Amino acid sequence: MKKLLSLSLLTTSLVFASAAHAQSITPSAKAVQLAKENILIDTHIDVPYRIHNRWDDVAKATGRGDFDYPRAIKGGLNAPFMSIYIPANLEFEGKGKSYQLANQLIDGMEALVARAPTKFAIADSTQDIQEHFEKGLMSLAMGMENGSPIEGDLKNLTHFFERGVRYITLAHSQSNHISDSSYDIRRKWKGLSPFGKDLVKEMNQIGMLIDVSHISDDAFYQVMELSKVPVIASHSSLRKYTPGFERNMDDKMLLALKKNGGVIQINFGSSFVTSAAGAWSTKMKEQRTSVYEQHGKNSNQAKDFRKAYLAKNPYPFATLAQVLDHIDHVVKLIGIEHVGIGSDYDGVGDSLPIGLKDVASYPNLVQGLLDRGYSDQDIKLILGENTMRVWKQAEAFAAKSK
């Protein structure tokens, strides 16, 4: 989840215009079939926090957000990892609130399944994913975005594993008691904390996947040294196309990921995909700050700033083709076995690319892959088999460790 670009940054007219453009992409019957008839895992969808803040019955069409059951079915999504997202701030870190919120968000997913048992089922294992797929149920797996709820106690790791969490993003947009964050210029730990190093080892032991998205480069390489099983980057893209954006992964990191056997799941957010979007956001914030300083935050100029800025500076949405470029680069550099999907739907506001605006859009991605010469088997790997492989390896290592 990337809260740096708020939902209100983009005007309704721009959103509708980009959505209309997206409708011009018509996937073939084969693309739709590939999306719908195979296990399709998206490792990062921010529904739990979305409906915690503002209730929506996502078992039905919602009319807002990026995910609901009808759109997911249309897109072929059958195994989303629901993000147990914990904000990275001092109000939560180390004060018990992270633990409480994480449990509340998990409660929300369990309640969703209880309300719609013919549509959803909690998935704790790869076997669950397979069985639910065969029954026509949508698996709801869970990943924790920000390890803050562990609160320095390995008993909490076991607690959340027992509640169904199957990966942990070690940190988010600020460094925490586990790891430094790629967004945080304060590098308190120079990578992982001493507890973080112990946590990585224990995550291996119990079968909890380690997610290296969001953490600093030093923390990433320390995880590579410590982890005995493949890791995931649940919603990251490539620094090759966003120079200087440490949140994404560079080629050296990709090569280390290959050696580890892991998978990078590509993030769809425009600022992750193209440097133009990140530059737009930086310039907008600089000019907004200037307006605040000159006229005050409550001035008419401040209130009208976004609308006026967007009128002169349209947001540079990424395109489906640019997302495919990220996938292509991973495949060419480290192989087809190391890439998957981690859209960040409901986590990146209105910054989603043209052609990939919500969970109904996966067939567009599949069509793009077909157009670029990917085989049916290649596409199956990207849609879900690569993620299933690393998850099975984590399960097998834990089974041997008991």
PDB file of all heavy atoms in Angstrom, residues 15 20 36 49 85 108 124 161 165 170 176 196 212 220 263 268 292 317 329 347 357 371 381:
ATOM      1  N   VAL A  15     -10.156  10.417 -13.742  1.00  0.00           N
ATOM      2  CA  VAL A  15     -10.370   8.998 -13.496  1.00  0.00           C
ATOM      3  C   VAL A  15     -11.302   8.420 -14.542  1.00  0.00           C
ATOM      4  O   VAL A  15     -11.069   7.360 -15.112  1.00  0.00           O
ATOM      5  CB  VAL A  15     -10.928   8.760 -12.080  1.00  0.00           C
ATOM      6  CG1 VAL A  15     -11.280   7.295 -11.892  1.00  0.00           C
ATOM      7  CG2 VAL A  15      -9.919   9.196 -11.032  1.00  0.00           C
ATOM      8  N   ALA A  20     -12.351   5.242 -19.372  1.00  0.00           N
ATOM      9  CA  ALA A  20     -12.900   5.121 -20.720  1.00  0.00           C
ATOM     10  C   ALA A  20     -11.843   4.625 -21.689  1.00  0.00           C
ATOM     11  O   ALA A  20     -12.102   3.791 -22.555  1.00  0.00           O
ATOM     12  CB  ALA A  20     -13.436   6.480 -21.182  1.00  0.00           C
ATOM     13  N   LYS A  36      -9.342 -17.012 -16.261  1.00  0.00           N
ATOM     14  CA  LYS A  36     -10.421 -17.601 -15.467  1.00  0.00           C
ATOM     15  C   LYS A  36     -10.224 -19.080 -15.151  1.00  0.00           C
ATOM     16  O   LYS A  36     -10.763 -19.576 -14.160  1.00  0.00           O
ATOM     17  CB  LYS A  36     -11.760 -17.405 -16.177  1.00  0.00           C
ATOM     18  CG  LYS A  36     -12.246 -15.961 -16.191  1.00  0.00           C
ATOM     19  CD  LYS A  36     -13.663 -15.858 -16.729  1.00  0.00           C
ATOM     20  CE  LYS A  36     -14.195 -14.432 -16.595  1.00  0.00           C
ATOM     21  NZ  LYS A  36     -15.611 -14.324 -17.009  1.00  0.00           N
ATOM     22  N   TYR A  49      -8.063  -2.940   5.043  1.00  0.00           N
ATOM     23  CA  TYR A  49      -7.972  -1.577   5.589  1.00  0.00           C
ATOM     24  C   TYR A  49      -9.020  -0.671   4.963  1.00  0.00           C
ATOM     25  O   TYR A  49      -9.604   0.189   5.628  1.00  0.00           O
ATOM     26  CB  TYR A  49      -6.567  -1.030   5.350  1.00  0.00           C
ATOM     27  CG  TYR A  49      -6.237   0.198   6.159  1.00  0.00           C
ATOM     28  CD1 TYR A  49      -5.892   0.090   7.503  1.00  0.00           C
ATOM     29  CD2 TYR A  49      -6.255   1.459   5.578  1.00  0.00           C
ATOM     30  CE1 TYR A  49      -5.580   1.214   8.254  1.00  0.00           C
ATOM     31  CE2 TYR A  49      -5.938   2.588   6.310  1.00  0.00           C
ATOM     32  CZ  TYR A  49      -5.607   2.468   7.652  1.00  0.00           C
ATOM     33  OH  TYR A  49      -5.304   3.590   8.389  1.00  0.00           O
ATOM     34  N   TYR A  85      -2.838  -4.396   6.563  1.00  0.00           N
ATOM     35  CA  TYR A  85      -1.983  -3.207   6.504  1.00  0.00           C
ATOM     36  C   TYR A  85      -2.032  -2.424   7.813  1.00  0.00           C
ATOM     37  O   TYR A  85      -3.111  -2.068   8.298  1.00  0.00           O
ATOM     38  CB  TYR A  85      -2.412  -2.306   5.345  1.00  0.00           C
ATOM     39  CG  TYR A  85      -1.879  -0.904   5.427  1.00  0.00           C
ATOM     40  CD1 TYR A  85      -0.515  -0.652   5.233  1.00  0.00           C
ATOM     41  CD2 TYR A  85      -2.712   0.172   5.716  1.00  0.00           C
ATOM     42  CE1 TYR A  85      -0.013   0.637   5.320  1.00  0.00           C
ATOM     43  CE2 TYR A  85      -2.216   1.470   5.802  1.00  0.00           C
ATOM     44  CZ  TYR A  85      -0.878   1.686   5.608  1.00  0.00           C
ATOM     45  OH  TYR A  85      -0.376   2.971   5.705  1.00  0.00           O
ATOM     46  N   GLY A 108     -12.165  -8.919  10.189  1.00  0.00           N
ATOM     47  CA  GLY A 108     -12.969  -8.458   9.060  1.00  0.00           C
ATOM     48  C   GLY A 108     -12.987  -9.438   7.911  1.00  0.00           C
ATOM     49  O   GLY A 108     -14.028  -9.646   7.269  1.00  0.00           O
ATOM     50  N   ASP A 124      -5.219 -20.966   4.237  1.00  0.00           N
ATOM     51  CA  ASP A 124      -4.034 -21.005   5.085  1.00  0.00           C
ATOM     52  C   ASP A 124      -2.867 -21.746   4.444  1.00  0.00           C
ATOM     53  O   ASP A 124      -1.763 -21.749   4.992  1.00  0.00           O
ATOM     54  CB  ASP A 124      -4.354 -21.714   6.410  1.00  0.00           C
ATOM     55  CG  ASP A 124      -5.347 -20.937   7.259  1.00  0.00           C
ATOM     56  OD1 ASP A 124      -5.438 -19.707   7.088  1.00  0.00           O
ATOM     57  OD2 ASP A 124      -6.026 -21.556   8.099  1.00  0.00           O
ATOM     58  N   PHE A 161       0.399 -16.313  12.632  1.00  0.00           N
ATOM     59  CA  PHE A 161       0.423 -17.479  11.748  1.00  0.00           C
ATOM     60  C   PHE A 161      -0.811 -18.346  11.995  1.00  0.00           C
ATOM     61  O   PHE A 161      -1.468 -18.798  11.040  1.00  0.00           O
ATOM     62  CB  PHE A 161       1.697 -18.291  11.973  1.00  0.00           C
ATOM     63  CG  PHE A 161       1.886 -19.396  10.978  1.00  0.00           C
ATOM     64  CD1 PHE A 161       2.464 -19.163   9.750  1.00  0.00           C
ATOM     65  CD2 PHE A 161       1.462 -20.687  11.281  1.00  0.00           C
ATOM     66  CE1 PHE A 161       2.631 -20.188   8.822  1.00  0.00           C
ATOM     67  CE2 PHE A 161       1.624 -21.725  10.357  1.00  0.00           C
ATOM     68  CZ  PHE A 161       2.207 -21.473   9.122  1.00  0.00           C
ATOM     69  N   VAL A 165      -2.177 -15.523   8.715  1.00  0.00           N
ATOM     70  CA  VAL A 165      -1.223 -14.680   7.985  1.00  0.00           C
ATOM     71  C   VAL A 165      -0.111 -15.565   7.431  1.00  0.00           C
ATOM     72  O   VAL A 165       0.470 -16.361   8.159  1.00  0.00           O
ATOM     73  CB  VAL A 165      -0.639 -13.588   8.904  1.00  0.00           C
ATOM     74  CG1 VAL A 165       0.471 -12.818   8.195  1.00  0.00           C
ATOM     75  CG2 VAL A 165      -1.738 -12.631   9.360  1.00  0.00           C
ATOM     76  N   LEU A 170       8.244  -6.807   6.213  1.00  0.00           N
ATOM     77  CA  LEU A 170       8.930  -6.537   7.473  1.00  0.00           C
ATOM     78  C   LEU A 170       8.746  -5.105   7.973  1.00  0.00           C
ATOM     79  O   LEU A 170       8.604  -4.869   9.176  1.00  0.00           O
ATOM     80  CB  LEU A 170      10.417  -6.863   7.340  1.00  0.00           C
ATOM     81  CG  LEU A 170      10.734  -8.328   6.971  1.00  0.00           C
ATOM     82  CD1 LEU A 170      12.245  -8.535   6.883  1.00  0.00           C
ATOM     83  CD2 LEU A 170      10.109  -9.309   7.962  1.00  0.00           C
ATOM     84  N   ASN A 176      10.929   0.324  11.592  1.00  0.00           N
ATOM     85  CA  ASN A 176      10.256  -0.142  12.800  1.00  0.00           C
ATOM     86  C   ASN A 176      11.230  -0.965  13.642  1.00  0.00           C
ATOM     87  O   ASN A 176      12.444  -0.897  13.432  1.00  0.00           O
ATOM     88  CB  ASN A 176       8.996  -0.928  12.450  1.00  0.00           C
ATOM     89  CG  ASN A 176       9.280  -2.163  11.594  1.00  0.00           C
ATOM     90  OD1 ASN A 176      10.428  -2.606  11.471  1.00  0.00           O
ATOM     91  ND2 ASN A 176       8.237  -2.714  10.998  1.00  0.00           N
ATOM     92  N   GLY A 196      14.990  -8.377  14.306  1.00  0.00           N
ATOM     93  CA  GLY A 196      14.582  -8.673  12.935  1.00  0.00           C
ATOM     94  C   GLY A 196      15.303  -9.874  12.363  1.00  0.00           C
ATOM     95  O   GLY A 196      14.713 -10.690  11.641  1.00  0.00           O
ATOM     96  N   VAL A 212      10.054  -8.842   1.068  1.00  0.00           N
ATOM     97  CA  VAL A 212      11.114  -7.834   1.071  1.00  0.00           C
ATOM     98  C   VAL A 212      10.689  -6.516   0.437  1.00  0.00           C
ATOM     99  O   VAL A 212      11.512  -5.605   0.293  1.00  0.00           O
ATOM    100  CB  VAL A 212      12.383  -8.372   0.374  1.00  0.00           C
ATOM    101  CG1 VAL A 212      12.949  -9.555   1.144  1.00  0.00           C
ATOM    102  CG2 VAL A 212      12.102  -8.759  -1.080  1.00  0.00           C
ATOM    103  N   PHE A 220      17.387  -5.839   2.726  1.00  0.00           N
ATOM    104  CA  PHE A 220      17.140  -6.854   1.703  1.00  0.00           C
ATOM    105  C   PHE A 220      18.296  -7.849   1.645  1.00  0.00           C
ATOM    106  O   PHE A 220      18.084  -9.074   1.674  1.00  0.00           O
ATOM    107  CB  PHE A 220      16.940  -6.190   0.341  1.00  0.00           C
ATOM    108  CG  PHE A 220      16.964  -7.143  -0.824  1.00  0.00           C
ATOM    109  CD1 PHE A 220      15.820  -7.835  -1.195  1.00  0.00           C
ATOM    110  CD2 PHE A 220      18.132  -7.356  -1.540  1.00  0.00           C
ATOM    111  CE1 PHE A 220      15.847  -8.729  -2.262  1.00  0.00           C
ATOM    112  CE2 PHE A 220      18.170  -8.237  -2.614  1.00  0.00           C
ATOM    113  CZ  PHE A 220      17.020  -8.932  -2.965  1.00  0.00           C
ATOM    114  N   VAL A 263      10.448 -14.671  -5.794  1.00  0.00           N
ATOM    115  CA  VAL A 263       9.572 -14.105  -6.817  1.00  0.00           C
ATOM    116  C   VAL A 263       9.306 -12.635  -6.507  1.00  0.00           C
ATOM    117  O   VAL A 263       9.039 -12.279  -5.359  1.00  0.00           O
ATOM    118  CB  VAL A 263       8.226 -14.857  -6.893  1.00  0.00           C
ATOM    119  CG1 VAL A 263       7.290 -14.205  -7.915  1.00  0.00           C
ATOM    120  CG2 VAL A 263       8.442 -16.324  -7.254  1.00  0.00           C
ATOM    121  N   PHE A 268       1.304  -2.421  -9.767  1.00  0.00           N
ATOM    122  CA  PHE A 268       0.711  -1.713 -10.906  1.00  0.00           C
ATOM    123  C   PHE A 268       0.691  -0.187 -10.730  1.00  0.00           C
ATOM    124  O   PHE A 268       0.435   0.539 -11.695  1.00  0.00           O
ATOM    125  CB  PHE A 268      -0.731  -2.163 -11.134  1.00  0.00           C
ATOM    126  CG  PHE A 268      -0.889  -3.588 -11.592  1.00  0.00           C
ATOM    127  CD1 PHE A 268      -2.163  -4.149 -11.656  1.00  0.00           C
ATOM    128  CD2 PHE A 268       0.194  -4.364 -11.944  1.00  0.00           C
ATOM    129  CE1 PHE A 268      -2.345  -5.460 -12.066  1.00  0.00           C
ATOM    130  CE2 PHE A 268       0.030  -5.686 -12.355  1.00  0.00           C
ATOM    131  CZ  PHE A 268      -1.248  -6.234 -12.405  1.00  0.00           C
ATOM    132  N   TYR A 292       0.893  26.899   0.270  1.00  0.00           N
ATOM    133  CA  TYR A 292       0.604  26.930   1.713  1.00  0.00           C
ATOM    134  C   TYR A 292       1.409  28.018   2.410  1.00  0.00           C
ATOM    135  O   TYR A 292       0.885  28.757   3.266  1.00  0.00           O
ATOM    136  CB  TYR A 292       0.937  25.578   2.351  1.00  0.00           C
ATOM    137  CG  TYR A 292      -0.015  24.453   2.026  1.00  0.00           C
ATOM    138  CD1 TYR A 292       0.280  23.141   2.412  1.00  0.00           C
ATOM    139  CD2 TYR A 292      -1.207  24.670   1.328  1.00  0.00           C
ATOM    140  CE1 TYR A 292      -0.573  22.089   2.119  1.00  0.00           C
ATOM    141  CE2 TYR A 292      -2.061  23.636   1.032  1.00  0.00           C
ATOM    142  CZ  TYR A 292      -1.745  22.345   1.428  1.00  0.00           C
ATOM    143  OH  TYR A 292      -2.597  21.308   1.143  1.00  0.00           O
ATOM    144  N   PHE A 317      -0.513   8.926 -16.151  1.00  0.00           N
ATOM    145  CA  PHE A 317      -0.796   7.528 -15.849  1.00  0.00           C
ATOM    146  C   PHE A 317       0.151   6.602 -16.612  1.00  0.00           C
ATOM    147  O   PHE A 317       0.454   6.826 -17.784  1.00  0.00           O
ATOM    148  CB  PHE A 317      -2.234   7.164 -16.248  1.00  0.00           C
ATOM    149  CG  PHE A 317      -3.285   7.758 -15.368  1.00  0.00           C
ATOM    150  CD1 PHE A 317      -4.017   8.860 -15.790  1.00  0.00           C
ATOM    151  CD2 PHE A 317      -3.552   7.228 -14.117  1.00  0.00           C
ATOM    152  CE1 PHE A 317      -4.999   9.413 -14.987  1.00  0.00           C
ATOM    153  CE2 PHE A 317      -4.531   7.771 -13.303  1.00  0.00           C
ATOM    154  CZ  PHE A 317      -5.252   8.874 -13.736  1.00  0.00           C
ATOM    155  N   HIS A 329      11.451  -7.401 -18.362  1.00  0.00           N
ATOM    156  CA  HIS A 329      12.825  -7.232 -17.871  1.00  0.00           C
ATOM    157  C   HIS A 329      13.168  -8.306 -16.845  1.00  0.00           C
ATOM    158  O   HIS A 329      14.288  -8.852 -16.878  1.00  0.00           O
ATOM    159  CB  HIS A 329      13.018  -5.842 -17.275  1.00  0.00           C
ATOM    160  CG  HIS A 329      14.438  -5.569 -16.871  1.00  0.00           C
ATOM    161  ND1 HIS A 329      15.456  -5.402 -17.783  1.00  0.00           N
ATOM    162  CD2 HIS A 329      15.016  -5.478 -15.638  1.00  0.00           C
ATOM    163  CE1 HIS A 329      16.593  -5.213 -17.148  1.00  0.00           C
ATOM    164  NE2 HIS A 329      16.359  -5.255 -15.835  1.00  0.00           N
ATOM    165  N   GLY A 347      -4.705   0.149  -2.808  1.00  0.00           N
ATOM    166  CA  GLY A 347      -3.609   0.679  -2.015  1.00  0.00           C
ATOM    167  C   GLY A 347      -2.871   1.841  -2.648  1.00  0.00           C
ATOM    168  O   GLY A 347      -2.079   2.499  -1.986  1.00  0.00           O
ATOM    169  N   LYS A 357      -7.264  -0.873 -14.337  1.00  0.00           N
ATOM    170  CA  LYS A 357      -7.882  -0.013 -13.329  1.00  0.00           C
ATOM    171  C   LYS A 357      -8.498  -0.751 -12.152  1.00  0.00           C
ATOM    172  O   LYS A 357      -8.729  -0.146 -11.108  1.00  0.00           O
ATOM    173  CB  LYS A 357      -8.949   0.879 -13.981  1.00  0.00           C
ATOM    174  CG  LYS A 357      -8.371   1.961 -14.873  1.00  0.00           C
ATOM    175  CD  LYS A 357      -7.518   2.942 -14.070  1.00  0.00           C
ATOM    176  CE  LYS A 357      -6.933   4.038 -14.935  1.00  0.00           C
ATOM    177  NZ  LYS A 357      -6.057   4.935 -14.160  1.00  0.00           N
ATOM    178  N   ASP A 371       0.328 -11.095 -26.616  1.00  0.00           N
ATOM    179  CA  ASP A 371       0.788 -10.275 -27.742  1.00  0.00           C
ATOM    180  C   ASP A 371       2.313 -10.179 -27.781  1.00  0.00           C
ATOM    181  O   ASP A 371       2.890  -9.968 -28.855  1.00  0.00           O
ATOM    182  CB  ASP A 371       0.189  -8.867 -27.642  1.00  0.00           C
ATOM    183  CG  ASP A 371      -1.316  -8.849 -27.885  1.00  0.00           C
ATOM    184  OD1 ASP A 371      -1.847  -9.840 -28.410  1.00  0.00           O
ATOM    185  OD2 ASP A 371      -1.955  -7.833 -27.513  1.00  0.00           O
ATOM    186  N   LEU A 381       2.557 -19.532 -15.089  1.00  0.00           N
ATOM    187  CA  LEU A 381       3.582 -19.297 -14.078  1.00  0.00           C
ATOM    188  C   LEU A 381       3.426 -17.909 -13.466  1.00  0.00           C
ATOM    189  O   LEU A 381       3.476 -17.742 -12.240  1.00  0.00           O
ATOM    190  CB  LEU A 381       4.973 -19.446 -14.691  1.00  0.00           C
ATOM    191  CG  LEU A 381       5.411 -20.855 -15.081  1.00  0.00           C
ATOM    192  CD1 LEU A 381       6.727 -20.802 -15.860  1.00  0.00           C
ATOM    193  CD2 LEU A 381       5.589 -21.737 -13.846  1.00  0.00           C
TER     194      LEU A 381
END
